[in-house]
Amino acid sequence: MNKIKTIVIGLILSALTTFAYAEFRVGITGSGVSFDDVKGSETTSSQTETDTLEAILPSIFIEKGFGPLTIGVDILPYKIEGETVTNDQSGSFVDQGSNNVTVDIDEHAKIYALLGLGDSPVYLKVAYTEADVLTSETMHTGSSYPDAELEGTYVGLGAQRDLDDAFIRVEAGFSSYDDISVTGTGGDDDANTVTVSGIDGFEAKISIGKAF
């Protein structure tokens, strides 16, 4: 996440020092995401859970244009709070008790490059994404799991329409994130490693912004 923060600071400073030579833009984006077949597994169990993740996520962006090329950062200025999952093992013969786990996503940021395709309103967009995965758990075994970092890439195609004092964009793309693995510590059993994979899927976006 520090890499994204460094780029944001550099982008703002660059915009201030070269304001007269490049276009500076800010705006908001609404993204609809759908990730099918996201799989979760653990080393202490043979079971694998598969789920579909869908959400509508608003974000803000800041960018700087250099002719047909634009460099920008898109940020979710809030935490994506996950539901608490409870696994009740009170009826089992070993490791009896209840486990409560909550996973949140925080500081989700995307740095992107946007390239206009000739004189048309169509553009190509590529991006690198980072976010913090925050775990909060109450385990009857006494074990705990560390936080992790989520990294991924995005490729999209969109179109922009300029208005009198603003612009609007529509865009569709595909995101793919690296697998996440965390290993529990401090418990009274063998260390359990939880892995989440298959975090990829399509996104649809609509943005409105203003150039300065």
Side-chain angles (χ1 to χ4, degrees):
M1 185 55 61
N2 289 332
K3 290 180 286 187
I4 294 289
K5 292 178 180 177
T6 301
I7 292 170
V8 172
I9 295 172
L11 185 64
I12 295 174
L13 293 177
S14 177
L16 293 175
T17 55
T18 61
F19 194 86
Y21 305 101
E23 192 174 46
F24 186 60
R25 311 182 193 104
V26 296
I28 57 175
T29 296
S31 300
V33 301
S34 179
F35 295 167
D36 294 330
D37 298 328
V38 179
K39 296 180 176 62
S41 61
E42 53 185 336
T43 56
T44 58
S45 172
S46 60
Q47 294 182 342
T48 298
E49 182 175 346
T50 302
D51 205 350
T52 296
L53 304 180
E54 295 180 331
I56 297 177
L57 305 173
S59 61
I60 58 175
F61 65 87
I62 176 174
E63 63 184 34
K64 185 178 178 183
F66 305 88
L69 178 66
T70 297
I71 303 296
V73 177
D74 184 278
I75 298 173
L76 271 60
Y78 54 88
K79 181 187 297 183
I80 304 174
E81 298 183 349
E83 297 181 355
T84 299
V85 178
T86 299
N87 180 13
D88 190 358
Q89 298 179 338
S90 299
S92 61
F93 292 100
V94 294
D95 290 339
Q96 296 191 30
S98 180
N99 300 325
N100 298 297
V101 180
T102 303
V103 178
D104 299 330
I105 305 295
D106 197 17
E107 295 191 359
H108 186 285
K110 179 180 296 180
I111 173 138
Y112 59 86
L114 187 154
L115 180 64
L117 302 181
D119 296 328
S120 74
V122 179
Y123 62 84
L124 175 68
K125 185 176 182 180
V126 294
Y128 167 77
T129 305
E130 276 189 1
D132 293 331
V133 180
L134 310 179
T135 65
S136 177
E137 61 279 324
T138 303
M139 313 294 288
H140 70 275
T141 59
S143 61
S144 62
Y145 290 85
D147 297 336
E149 189 171 89
L150 183 65
E151 297 181 334
T153 56
Y154 170 86
V155 177
L157 195 67
Q160 175 175 316
R161 180 178 180 182
D162 294 322
L163 307 176
D164 291 338
D165 57 354
F167 62 88
I168 187 169
R169 292 173 182 159
V170 291
E171 180 180 320
F174 186 84
S175 285
S176 180
Y177 292 90
D178 295 340
D179 296 348
I180 304 172
S181 292
V182 292
T183 300
T185 59
D188 53 6
D189 297 315
D190 294 336
N192 183 40
T193 298
V194 177
T195 300
V196 179
S197 60
I199 315 172
D200 50 50
F202 293 96
E203 298 190 26
K205 303 175 181 289
I206 184 168
S207 304
I208 186 168
K210 182 174 177 60
F212 296 91

